[in-house]
Amino acid sequence: MAMRRAPPLLFPAAAKHTATVIFAHGLGDTGHGWSSAVENWRRRQKLDEVKFILPHAPQIPVTAAEGMSMPGWYDIFALTGKVDDIKKDQDERGILQSRDYFNGLIQAEIDSGVPASRIILGGFSQGGAISLFTGLTAKVKLAGIVALSCYLPLDAKFADFLKENDNNHQTPILMCHGDEDNVVPTRFGKASYDLLKSKDFDVTMKLYSGMAHSACLEELDEVEDFLRARLPPQADEKSEL
């Protein structure tokens, strides 16, 4: 039976639509939680050709919250802030279901005329984790991946998933993390970065002094610069017709 999902929150491009950013929120949040960041980027008018899609995770029972139902991209079995506890039990079925959902969002944009090379997938915390995993194993080559305060899930099986699809080995990845994160420990994010770097992925990691499990203005400016660099304006290019 298909999981019930609310339609994503959409921010149309302010100018001609030539690119799309899909950004996933964290556990217990909704797409609305990142609407202010998107609205701020739109006000600055550096991403006028970009459509933003902020999906809402479905309500699922979360084991770490004693089975309480909340928005989540997959189940979490421990919220102790310990790396080993996060790695020990991972909801592979839920992760793969969410990957299918995000792949569907990507394909819908491609079907509407936006090439994969003009699509960026990103997210924060659990949303960053599912975006990182989905982007790195996607069937199409994306313009970029943004992973904030998160980690690479199913890392022990990552090599096996790459055997199925390894189209984004050269796709730029921006990882950002606070150096005082006790929810997704900074060293876990760093370990994911080190794993990807060791496999020659095009990954950059930015650490923010004093930042816990949250975002900051400096980080959001870094993300905006990354989006702008990967999705430069095209509308003013001369037509070949």
Side-chain angles (χ1 to χ4, degrees):
M1 184 165 139
M3 190 173 290
R4 293 183 60 185
R5 298 180 185 271
L9 182 62
L10 302 178
F11 290 86
K16 180 182 178 182
H17 176 209
T18 70
T20 297
V21 171
I22 303 168
F23 194 91
H25 63 77
L27 181 69
D29 199 2
T30 69
H32 293 284
W34 283 85
S35 62
S36 61
V38 170
E39 287 169 347
N40 186 53
W41 290 330
R42 284 162 58 87
R43 276 194 298 270
R44 288 151 68 116
Q45 300 182 316
K46 295 180 181 179
L47 300 166
D48 282 353
E49 296 180 20
V50 178
K51 169 186 175 182
F52 288 88
I53 299 176
L54 304 183
H56 306 294
Q59 293 279 339
I60 61 170
V62 175
T63 301
E66 300 182 343
M68 185 170 65
S69 183
M70 65 179 69
W73 299 114
Y74 52 88
D75 194 9
I76 295 289
F77 296 97
L79 286 171
T80 61
K82 296 179 180 178
V83 173
D84 289 343
D85 288 345
I86 300 173
K87 288 171 67 76
K88 182 173 62 177
D89 292 312
Q90 297 193 54
D91 178 18
E92 181 171 344
R93 181 171 175 269
I95 291 168
L96 295 181
Q97 282 182 333
S98 285
R99 182 178 69 164
D100 288 345
Y101 172 68
F102 280 95
N103 278 330
L105 293 178
I106 292 168
Q107 189 58 50
E109 289 304 295
I110 294 171
D111 292 345
S112 74
V114 179
S117 61
R118 296 282 292 171
I119 298 173
I120 286 179
L121 183 60
F124 171 79
S125 192
Q126 193 186 56
I130 197 64
S131 295
L132 189 58
F133 179 74
T134 301
L136 292 175
T137 62
K139 296 179 181 179
V140 294
K141 180 171 172 52
L142 301 172
I145 301 167
V146 176
L148 310 182
S149 302
C150 67
Y151 60 96
L152 177 65
L154 304 180
D155 55 335
K157 295 184 175 182
F158 184 55
D160 293 331
F161 286 109
L162 284 182
K163 291 175 184 176
E164 299 171 9
N165 293 295
D166 188 10
N167 299 307
N168 287 281
H169 220 104
Q170 304 304 317
T171 297
I173 306 158
L174 175 64
M175 296 183 72
C176 301
H177 221 115
D179 67 358
E180 294 187 10
D181 192 334
N182 294 318
V183 177
V184 177
T186 309
R187 66 187 183 91
F188 196 9
K190 183 68 165 54
S192 294
Y193 163 79
D194 289 340
L195 171 65
L196 295 175
K197 202 71 176 173
S198 72
K199 294 183 179 296
D200 295 321
F201 282 87
D202 184 5
V203 58
T204 299
M205 187 169 198
K206 304 280 186 177
L207 294 177
Y208 299 90
S209 177
M211 190 173 83
H213 192 63
S214 61
C216 65
L217 290 176
E218 181 185 357
E219 177 187 37
L220 295 178
D221 286 348
E222 291 266 15
V223 173
E224 181 183 36
D225 289 344
F226 179 82
L227 299 181
R228 171 78 178 189
R230 299 305 306 152
L231 304 172
Q234 287 190 339
D236 55 0
E237 291 183 2
K238 291 183 179 180
S239 171
E240 296 179 359
L241 299 177

